[in-house]
């Protein structure tokens, strides 16, 4: 018999704690314990114990109303993830963000179905800055960054969620060299993204996101392609 708190695939408690962090990362606002318990499918007392442990390690925190948000302790952990790639990419992302007036980000494939934002840069001067924090996850089959990652992957490795319509869209995107999206991950947001392939790193993409584009998508894509080339050179690829 498996020990309490474990399953055949590993620790159920650890899995729930990680899932709780993912829920907070994906949420567009701070969540209550009851909301987290409902989304996890556990009793409130179980969610409370998980949160207390995560809180002790600085991974979650509470706002003035007692709602839960990600804690500053995650920043220390995140700084060690693909540190070299983050350091190489951030200056280029910042340059693109300031030049185009849009948030620019680097997303990486994290498993067969999902991508996550590794690092992002917002423009210094903009009337409408879109915040897109690192750690945000979304399906590879939705959104510009995810679809740009698919451009660099063989179709045999795509998730079952890749429909025939998506496959046709990716084929068209591959011909022009970039992917686009509108209202697919976050309502009202548009995205243009290009693939970034680096040795020893998961499949990745560089993208910009905004509520509207003041420049043609092809022009934005050309700037992102140049940025991807700069990152590859700086990375030594």
């Amino acid at each position: 018999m498996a020990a309490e708190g474990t399953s055949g695939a590993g620790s159920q408690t650890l899995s729930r704690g990680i899932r709780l962090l993912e829920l907070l990362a994906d949420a567009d606002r701070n969540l209550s314990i009851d909301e987290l318990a409902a989304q996890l499918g556990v009793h409130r007392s179980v969610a409370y114990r998980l949160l207390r442990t995560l809180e002790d390690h600085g991974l979650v925190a509470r706002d003035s109303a007692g709602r839960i948000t990600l804690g500053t302790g995650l920043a220390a952990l995140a700084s060690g993830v693909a540190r070299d790639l983050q350091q190489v990419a951030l200056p280029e992302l910042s340059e693109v963000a300031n030049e185009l007036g849009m948030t620019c980000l680097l997303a990486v494939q994290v498993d067969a179905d999902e991508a996550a934002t590794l690092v992002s840069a917002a423009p210094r001067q903009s009337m409408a800055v879109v915040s897109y924090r690192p750690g945000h996850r979304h399906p590879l089959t939705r959104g510009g960054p995810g679809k740009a990652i698919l451009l660099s992957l063989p179709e045999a490795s795509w998730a079952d969620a890749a429909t025939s319509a998506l496959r046709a869209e990716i084929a068209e995107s591959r011909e022009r060299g970039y992917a686009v999206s509108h209202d697919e991950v976050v309502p009202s947001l548009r995205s243009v993204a290009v693939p970034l392939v680096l040795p020893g790193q998961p499949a990745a993409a560089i993208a910009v996101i905004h509520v509207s584009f003041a420049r043609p998508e092809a022009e934005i894509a050309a700037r992102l392609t140049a940025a991807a080339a700069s990152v590859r050179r700086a990375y030594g690829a």
Side-chain angles (χ1 to χ4, degrees):
M1 178 180 296
E4 183 178 357
T6 65
S7 68
S11 169
Q12 183 184 62
T13 301
L14 177 59
S15 178
R16 285 173 171 171
I18 292 172
R19 180 59 184 148
L20 190 149
L21 293 174
E22 291 174 344
L23 291 172
L24 289 171
D26 289 341
D28 57 3
R29 60 182 175 82
N30 297 346
L31 301 176
S32 69
I33 294 179
D34 289 337
E35 288 173 319
L36 287 167
Q39 292 188 51
L40 282 173
V42 300
H43 191 273
R44 188 180 192 277
S45 62
V46 175
Y48 179 78
R49 289 196 297 271
L50 290 170
L51 288 169
R52 282 297 304 271
T53 300
L54 294 171
E55 194 172 16
D56 288 343
H57 290 277
L59 301 181
V60 301
R62 300 171 192 262
D63 63 17
S64 59
R67 290 180 175 271
I68 313 301
T69 183
L70 293 175
T72 56
L74 283 172
L77 296 178
S79 65
V81 178
R83 183 182 291 111
D84 291 344
L85 179 54
Q86 291 186 59
Q87 292 175 345
V88 166
L90 185 56
E92 191 64 32
L93 300 183
S94 298
E95 185 174 328
V96 172
N98 291 323
E99 180 180 327
L100 300 181
M102 307 174 191
T103 297
C104 187
L105 62 91
L106 171 65
V108 298
Q109 183 181 13
V110 292
D111 57 34
D113 301 320
E114 289 190 312
T117 300
L118 182 63
V119 62
S120 65
R124 285 192 299 268
Q125 296 180 346
S126 177
M127 295 297 292
V129 174
V130 177
S131 176
Y132 213 76
R133 59 189 176 186
H136 183 83
R137 296 169 67 112
H138 56 82
L140 289 173
T141 53
R142 290 170 48 204
K147 291 190 287 189
I149 288 174
L150 289 181
L151 295 182
S152 64
L153 298 176
E155 287 195 31
S157 68
W158 293 4
D160 293 338
T163 63
S164 57
L166 176 64
R167 293 176 186 276
E169 179 186 351
I170 296 300
E172 180 181 346
S173 298
R174 186 175 285 116
E175 287 185 6
R176 68 180 177 224
Y178 63 92
V180 298
S181 69
H182 184 202
D183 287 332
E184 291 187 5
V185 175
V186 179
S188 79
L189 288 189
R190 306 179 70 95
S191 176
V192 176
V194 300
L196 174 64
V197 179
L198 296 170
Q201 294 291 341
I206 293 179
V208 291
I209 55 172
H210 207 270
V211 293
S212 63
F213 293 146
R215 305 188 187 193
E217 291 176 347
E219 182 179 330
I220 295 171
R223 181 62 184 89
L224 293 177
T225 299
S230 295
V231 171
R232 284 195 295 269
R233 286 194 298 270
Y235 194 76

